[in-house]
PDB file of all heavy atoms in Angstrom:
ATOM      1  N   ILE N 946       3.212   4.111  11.624  1.00  0.00           N
ATOM      2  CA  ILE N 946       4.524   3.804  12.112  1.00  0.00           C
ATOM      3  C   ILE N 946       4.945   4.881  13.162  1.00  0.00           C
ATOM      4  O   ILE N 946       5.557   4.594  14.186  1.00  0.00           O
ATOM      5  CB  ILE N 946       5.537   3.737  10.989  1.00  0.00           C
ATOM      6  CG1 ILE N 946       5.247   2.414  10.155  1.00  0.00           C
ATOM      7  CG2 ILE N 946       7.023   3.698  11.535  1.00  0.00           C
ATOM      8  CD1 ILE N 946       6.128   2.298   8.862  1.00  0.00           C
ATOM      9  N   MET N 947       4.505   6.160  12.951  1.00  0.00           N
ATOM     10  CA  MET N 947       4.754   7.202  13.970  1.00  0.00           C
ATOM     11  C   MET N 947       4.158   6.888  15.266  1.00  0.00           C
ATOM     12  O   MET N 947       4.758   6.987  16.369  1.00  0.00           O
ATOM     13  CB  MET N 947       4.264   8.540  13.303  1.00  0.00           C
ATOM     14  CG  MET N 947       4.943   9.204  12.314  1.00  0.00           C
ATOM     15  SD  MET N 947       4.065  10.241  11.266  1.00  0.00           S
ATOM     16  CE  MET N 947       3.457  11.507  12.465  1.00  0.00           C
ATOM     17  N   ALA N 948       2.922   6.347  15.236  1.00  0.00           N
ATOM     18  CA  ALA N 948       2.303   5.992  16.521  1.00  0.00           C
ATOM     19  C   ALA N 948       2.843   4.784  17.138  1.00  0.00           C
ATOM     20  O   ALA N 948       3.037   4.692  18.364  1.00  0.00           O
ATOM     21  CB  ALA N 948       0.699   5.669  16.224  1.00  0.00           C
ATOM     22  N   ALA N 949       3.277   3.780  16.384  1.00  0.00           N
ATOM     23  CA  ALA N 949       3.902   2.586  16.903  1.00  0.00           C
ATOM     24  C   ALA N 949       5.178   2.941  17.609  1.00  0.00           C
ATOM     25  O   ALA N 949       5.484   2.463  18.607  1.00  0.00           O
ATOM     26  CB  ALA N 949       4.171   1.539  15.735  1.00  0.00           C
ATOM     27  N   SER N 950       5.917   3.975  17.019  1.00  0.00           N
ATOM     28  CA  SER N 950       7.124   4.427  17.701  1.00  0.00           C
ATOM     29  C   SER N 950       6.891   5.079  19.001  1.00  0.00           C
ATOM     30  O   SER N 950       7.526   4.832  20.036  1.00  0.00           O
ATOM     31  CB  SER N 950       7.943   5.357  16.728  1.00  0.00           C
ATOM     32  OG  SER N 950       8.509   4.593  15.749  1.00  0.00           O
ATOM     33  N   THR N 951       5.790   5.974  19.102  1.00  0.00           N
ATOM     34  CA  THR N 951       5.505   6.651  20.209  1.00  0.00           C
ATOM     35  C   THR N 951       5.161   5.746  21.376  1.00  0.00           C
ATOM     36  O   THR N 951       5.613   5.861  22.530  1.00  0.00           O
ATOM     37  CB  THR N 951       4.423   7.657  19.977  1.00  0.00           C
ATOM     38  OG1 THR N 951       4.813   8.658  19.008  1.00  0.00           O
ATOM     39  CG2 THR N 951       3.912   8.361  21.275  1.00  0.00           C
ATOM     40  N   VAL N 952       4.268   4.777  21.138  1.00  0.00           N
ATOM     41  CA  VAL N 952       3.776   3.894  22.167  1.00  0.00           C
ATOM     42  C   VAL N 952       4.846   2.711  22.396  1.00  0.00           C
ATOM     43  O   VAL N 952       5.096   2.277  23.500  1.00  0.00           O
ATOM     44  CB  VAL N 952       2.483   3.302  21.774  1.00  0.00           C
ATOM     45  CG1 VAL N 952       1.981   2.405  22.894  1.00  0.00           C
ATOM     46  CG2 VAL N 952       1.468   4.446  21.630  1.00  0.00           C
ATOM     47  N   ASP N 953       5.474   2.245  21.336  1.00  0.00           N
ATOM     48  CA  ASP N 953       6.444   1.110  21.273  1.00  0.00           C
ATOM     49  C   ASP N 953       5.989  -0.105  21.888  1.00  0.00           C
ATOM     50  O   ASP N 953       6.505  -0.641  22.751  1.00  0.00           O
ATOM     51  CB  ASP N 953       7.678   1.663  22.118  1.00  0.00           C
ATOM     52  CG  ASP N 953       8.934   0.876  21.679  1.00  0.00           C
ATOM     53  OD1 ASP N 953       9.064   0.516  20.490  1.00  0.00           O
ATOM     54  OD2 ASP N 953       9.837   0.559  22.570  1.00  0.00           O
ATOM     55  N   ILE N 954       4.859  -0.592  21.269  1.00  0.00           N
ATOM     56  CA  ILE N 954       4.443  -2.071  21.446  1.00  0.00           C
ATOM     57  C   ILE N 954       4.805  -2.739  20.176  1.00  0.00           C
ATOM     58  O   ILE N 954       4.923  -2.094  19.149  1.00  0.00           O
ATOM     59  CB  ILE N 954       3.053  -2.171  21.833  1.00  0.00           C
ATOM     60  CG1 ILE N 954       2.071  -1.674  20.697  1.00  0.00           C
ATOM     61  CG2 ILE N 954       2.681  -1.497  23.153  1.00  0.00           C
ATOM     62  CD1 ILE N 954       0.681  -1.973  20.964  1.00  0.00           C
ATOM     63  N   PRO N 955       4.985  -4.058  20.189  1.00  0.00           N
ATOM     64  CA  PRO N 955       5.210  -4.790  19.041  1.00  0.00           C
ATOM     65  C   PRO N 955       4.207  -4.415  17.855  1.00  0.00           C
ATOM     66  O   PRO N 955       3.014  -4.422  18.164  1.00  0.00           O
ATOM     67  CB  PRO N 955       5.146  -6.363  19.446  1.00  0.00           C
ATOM     68  CG  PRO N 955       5.645  -6.222  20.869  1.00  0.00           C
ATOM     69  CD  PRO N 955       4.954  -4.937  21.406  1.00  0.00           C
ATOM     70  N   ALA N 956       4.731  -4.177  16.678  1.00  0.00           N
ATOM     71  CA  ALA N 956       3.870  -3.686  15.609  1.00  0.00           C
ATOM     72  C   ALA N 956       4.384  -4.201  14.278  1.00  0.00           C
ATOM     73  O   ALA N 956       5.594  -4.386  14.073  1.00  0.00           O
ATOM     74  CB  ALA N 956       3.772  -2.108  15.605  1.00  0.00           C
ATOM     75  N   ILE N 957       3.555  -4.354  13.340  1.00  0.00           N
ATOM     76  CA  ILE N 957       3.781  -4.793  12.029  1.00  0.00           C
ATOM     77  C   ILE N 957       2.819  -4.166  11.081  1.00  0.00           C
ATOM     78  O   ILE N 957       1.605  -4.073  11.382  1.00  0.00           O
ATOM     79  CB  ILE N 957       3.710  -6.368  11.893  1.00  0.00           C
ATOM     80  CG1 ILE N 957       4.251  -6.884  10.572  1.00  0.00           C
ATOM     81  CG2 ILE N 957       2.426  -6.904  12.198  1.00  0.00           C
ATOM     82  CD1 ILE N 957       4.453  -8.359  10.481  1.00  0.00           C
ATOM     83  N   THR N 958       3.172  -3.755   9.905  1.00  0.00           N
ATOM     84  CA  THR N 958       2.307  -3.144   8.898  1.00  0.00           C
ATOM     85  C   THR N 958       1.881  -4.157   7.868  1.00  0.00           C
ATOM     86  O   THR N 958       2.683  -5.019   7.461  1.00  0.00           O
ATOM     87  CB  THR N 958       2.968  -1.915   8.166  1.00  0.00           C
ATOM     88  OG1 THR N 958       3.964  -2.387   7.378  1.00  0.00           O
ATOM     89  CG2 THR N 958       3.428  -0.938   9.182  1.00  0.00           C
ATOM     90  N   LEU N 959       0.601  -3.996   7.415  1.00  0.00           N
ATOM     91  CA  LEU N 959       0.129  -4.822   6.341  1.00  0.00           C
ATOM     92  C   LEU N 959      -0.470  -3.832   5.250  1.00  0.00           C
ATOM     93  O   LEU N 959      -1.469  -3.163   5.485  1.00  0.00           O
ATOM     94  CB  LEU N 959      -0.933  -5.785   6.703  1.00  0.00           C
ATOM     95  CG  LEU N 959      -1.626  -6.558   5.616  1.00  0.00           C
ATOM     96  CD1 LEU N 959      -0.688  -7.564   5.008  1.00  0.00           C
ATOM     97  CD2 LEU N 959      -3.023  -7.205   6.039  1.00  0.00           C
ATOM     98  N   ASN N 960       0.168  -3.839   4.018  1.00  0.00           N
ATOM     99  CA  ASN N 960      -0.396  -3.043   2.939  1.00  0.00           C
ATOM    100  C   ASN N 960      -1.640  -3.730   2.325  1.00  0.00           C
ATOM    101  O   ASN N 960      -1.607  -4.939   2.138  1.00  0.00           O
ATOM    102  CB  ASN N 960       0.697  -2.864   1.999  1.00  0.00           C
ATOM    103  CG  ASN N 960       0.383  -2.143   0.682  1.00  0.00           C
ATOM    104  OD1 ASN N 960      -0.601  -1.469   0.608  1.00  0.00           O
ATOM    105  ND2 ASN N 960       1.156  -2.307  -0.275  1.00  0.00           N
ATOM    106  N   GLY N 961      -2.605  -2.938   1.937  1.00  0.00           N
ATOM    107  CA  GLY N 961      -3.770  -3.555   1.199  1.00  0.00           C
ATOM    108  C   GLY N 961      -3.476  -3.832  -0.201  1.00  0.00           C
ATOM    109  O   GLY N 961      -4.253  -4.595  -0.859  1.00  0.00           O
ATOM    110  N   GLY N 962      -2.469  -3.231  -0.810  1.00  0.00           N
ATOM    111  CA  GLY N 962      -1.955  -3.578  -2.111  1.00  0.00           C
ATOM    112  C   GLY N 962      -2.464  -2.578  -3.129  1.00  0.00           C
ATOM    113  O   GLY N 962      -3.544  -1.953  -3.032  1.00  0.00           O
ATOM    114  N   PRO N 963      -1.712  -2.443  -4.259  1.00  0.00           N
ATOM    115  CA  PRO N 963      -2.055  -1.578  -5.271  1.00  0.00           C
ATOM    116  C   PRO N 963      -3.201  -2.208  -6.170  1.00  0.00           C
ATOM    117  O   PRO N 963      -3.486  -3.437  -6.222  1.00  0.00           O
ATOM    118  CB  PRO N 963      -0.798  -1.451  -6.124  1.00  0.00           C
ATOM    119  CG  PRO N 963      -0.004  -2.627  -5.847  1.00  0.00           C
ATOM    120  CD  PRO N 963      -0.366  -3.084  -4.461  1.00  0.00           C
ATOM    121  N   MET N 964      -3.879  -1.364  -7.043  1.00  0.00           N
ATOM    122  CA  MET N 964      -4.752  -1.778  -8.031  1.00  0.00           C
ATOM    123  C   MET N 964      -4.102  -2.581  -9.126  1.00  0.00           C
ATOM    124  O   MET N 964      -2.819  -2.647  -9.245  1.00  0.00           O
ATOM    125  CB  MET N 964      -5.557  -0.640  -8.598  1.00  0.00           C
ATOM    126  CG  MET N 964      -6.398   0.177  -7.674  1.00  0.00           C
ATOM    127  SD  MET N 964      -7.254   1.545  -8.546  1.00  0.00           S
ATOM    128  CE  MET N 964      -5.925   2.699  -8.783  1.00  0.00           C
ATOM    129  N   LEU N 965      -4.899  -3.319  -9.843  1.00  0.00           N
ATOM    130  CA  LEU N 965      -4.382  -3.965 -11.048  1.00  0.00           C
ATOM    131  C   LEU N 965      -3.964  -2.905 -12.046  1.00  0.00           C
ATOM    132  O   LEU N 965      -4.332  -1.766 -11.936  1.00  0.00           O
ATOM    133  CB  LEU N 965      -5.456  -4.886 -11.669  1.00  0.00           C
ATOM    134  CG  LEU N 965      -5.895  -6.065 -10.840  1.00  0.00           C
ATOM    135  CD1 LEU N 965      -7.110  -6.710 -11.568  1.00  0.00           C
ATOM    136  CD2 LEU N 965      -4.824  -7.001 -10.460  1.00  0.00           C
ATOM    137  N   ASP N 966      -3.165  -3.330 -13.101  1.00  0.00           N
ATOM    138  CA  ASP N 966      -2.721  -2.317 -13.980  1.00  0.00           C
ATOM    139  C   ASP N 966      -3.850  -1.782 -14.724  1.00  0.00           C
ATOM    140  O   ASP N 966      -4.849  -2.456 -15.082  1.00  0.00           O
ATOM    141  CB  ASP N 966      -1.748  -2.935 -15.048  1.00  0.00           C
ATOM    142  CG  ASP N 966      -0.433  -3.338 -14.426  1.00  0.00           C
ATOM    143  OD1 ASP N 966      -0.153  -3.021 -13.256  1.00  0.00           O
ATOM    144  OD2 ASP N 966       0.463  -3.974 -15.137  1.00  0.00           O
ATOM    145  N   GLY N 967      -3.837  -0.483 -15.057  1.00  0.00           N
ATOM    146  CA  GLY N 967      -4.875   0.202 -15.839  1.00  0.00           C
ATOM    147  C   GLY N 967      -4.480   0.285 -17.327  1.00  0.00           C
ATOM    148  O   GLY N 967      -3.321   0.476 -17.689  1.00  0.00           O
ATOM    149  N   TRP N 968      -5.516   0.014 -18.110  1.00  0.00           N
ATOM    150  CA  TRP N 968      -5.307  -0.021 -19.604  1.00  0.00           C
ATOM    151  C   TRP N 968      -6.424   0.991 -20.210  1.00  0.00           C
ATOM    152  O   TRP N 968      -7.560   0.777 -19.919  1.00  0.00           O
ATOM    153  CB  TRP N 968      -5.405  -1.391 -20.193  1.00  0.00           C
ATOM    154  CG  TRP N 968      -4.265  -2.204 -19.772  1.00  0.00           C
ATOM    155  CD1 TRP N 968      -4.216  -3.056 -18.694  1.00  0.00           C
ATOM    156  CD2 TRP N 968      -2.983  -2.410 -20.465  1.00  0.00           C
ATOM    157  NE1 TRP N 968      -3.006  -3.714 -18.625  1.00  0.00           N
ATOM    158  CE2 TRP N 968      -2.305  -3.365 -19.711  1.00  0.00           C
ATOM    159  CE3 TRP N 968      -2.479  -1.847 -21.658  1.00  0.00           C
ATOM    160  CZ2 TRP N 968      -0.941  -3.717 -20.107  1.00  0.00           C
ATOM    161  CZ3 TRP N 968      -1.144  -2.236 -22.006  1.00  0.00           C
ATOM    162  CH2 TRP N 968      -0.423  -3.132 -21.187  1.00  0.00           C
ATOM    163  N   HIS N 969      -5.934   1.718 -21.202  1.00  0.00           N
ATOM    164  CA  HIS N 969      -6.837   2.545 -22.086  1.00  0.00           C
ATOM    165  C   HIS N 969      -6.452   2.443 -23.527  1.00  0.00           C
ATOM    166  O   HIS N 969      -5.319   2.904 -23.864  1.00  0.00           O
ATOM    167  CB  HIS N 969      -6.845   3.983 -21.603  1.00  0.00           C
ATOM    168  CG  HIS N 969      -7.735   4.932 -22.365  1.00  0.00           C
ATOM    169  ND1 HIS N 969      -9.048   4.947 -22.160  1.00  0.00           N
ATOM    170  CD2 HIS N 969      -7.339   5.809 -23.350  1.00  0.00           C
ATOM    171  CE1 HIS N 969      -9.575   5.846 -23.060  1.00  0.00           C
ATOM    172  NE2 HIS N 969      -8.570   6.323 -23.754  1.00  0.00           N
ATOM    173  N   GLU N 970      -7.302   1.718 -24.330  1.00  0.00           N
ATOM    174  CA  GLU N 970      -6.960   1.618 -25.690  1.00  0.00           C
ATOM    175  C   GLU N 970      -5.600   1.065 -25.963  1.00  0.00           C
ATOM    176  O   GLU N 970      -4.776   1.550 -26.657  1.00  0.00           O
ATOM    177  CB  GLU N 970      -7.252   2.867 -26.477  1.00  0.00           C
ATOM    178  CG  GLU N 970      -8.665   3.415 -26.367  1.00  0.00           C
ATOM    179  CD  GLU N 970      -8.921   4.682 -27.093  1.00  0.00           C
ATOM    180  OE1 GLU N 970      -7.844   5.275 -27.572  1.00  0.00           O
ATOM    181  OE2 GLU N 970     -10.048   5.103 -27.156  1.00  0.00           O
ATOM    182  N   ASN N 971      -5.280  -0.117 -25.180  1.00  0.00           N
ATOM    183  CA  ASN N 971      -3.921  -0.764 -25.297  1.00  0.00           C
ATOM    184  C   ASN N 971      -2.846   0.010 -24.898  1.00  0.00           C
ATOM    185  O   ASN N 971      -1.554  -0.323 -25.169  1.00  0.00           O
ATOM    186  CB  ASN N 971      -3.771  -1.260 -26.796  1.00  0.00           C
ATOM    187  CG  ASN N 971      -4.774  -2.274 -27.212  1.00  0.00           C
ATOM    188  OD1 ASN N 971      -5.204  -3.208 -26.527  1.00  0.00           O
ATOM    189  ND2 ASN N 971      -5.198  -2.006 -28.433  1.00  0.00           N
ATOM    190  N   GLU N 972      -3.008   1.113 -23.988  1.00  0.00           N
ATOM    191  CA  GLU N 972      -2.007   1.792 -23.425  1.00  0.00           C
ATOM    192  C   GLU N 972      -2.045   1.717 -21.902  1.00  0.00           C
ATOM    193  O   GLU N 972      -3.180   1.876 -21.356  1.00  0.00           O
ATOM    194  CB  GLU N 972      -2.087   3.278 -23.858  1.00  0.00           C
ATOM    195  CG  GLU N 972      -1.053   4.218 -23.228  1.00  0.00           C
ATOM    196  CD  GLU N 972      -1.368   5.715 -23.390  1.00  0.00           C
ATOM    197  OE1 GLU N 972      -2.391   5.974 -24.200  1.00  0.00           O
ATOM    198  OE2 GLU N 972      -0.711   6.514 -22.912  1.00  0.00           O
TER     199      GLU N 972
END
């Protein structure tokens, strides 16, 4: 986003997403 502001061409971000929930011994 810092770079998009500096250059100022149309820009959109796409997050790759978080991992699935982690579980250890039902916790």
Side-chain angles (χ1 to χ4, degrees):
I946 293 176
M947 289 155 58
S950 285
T951 295
V952 182
D953 201 34
I954 62 172
I957 186 170
T958 68
L959 175 74
N960 174 22
M964 294 182 286
L965 300 177
D966 289 359
W968 292 90
H969 177 78
E970 297 180 355
N971 296 317
E972 175 190 0

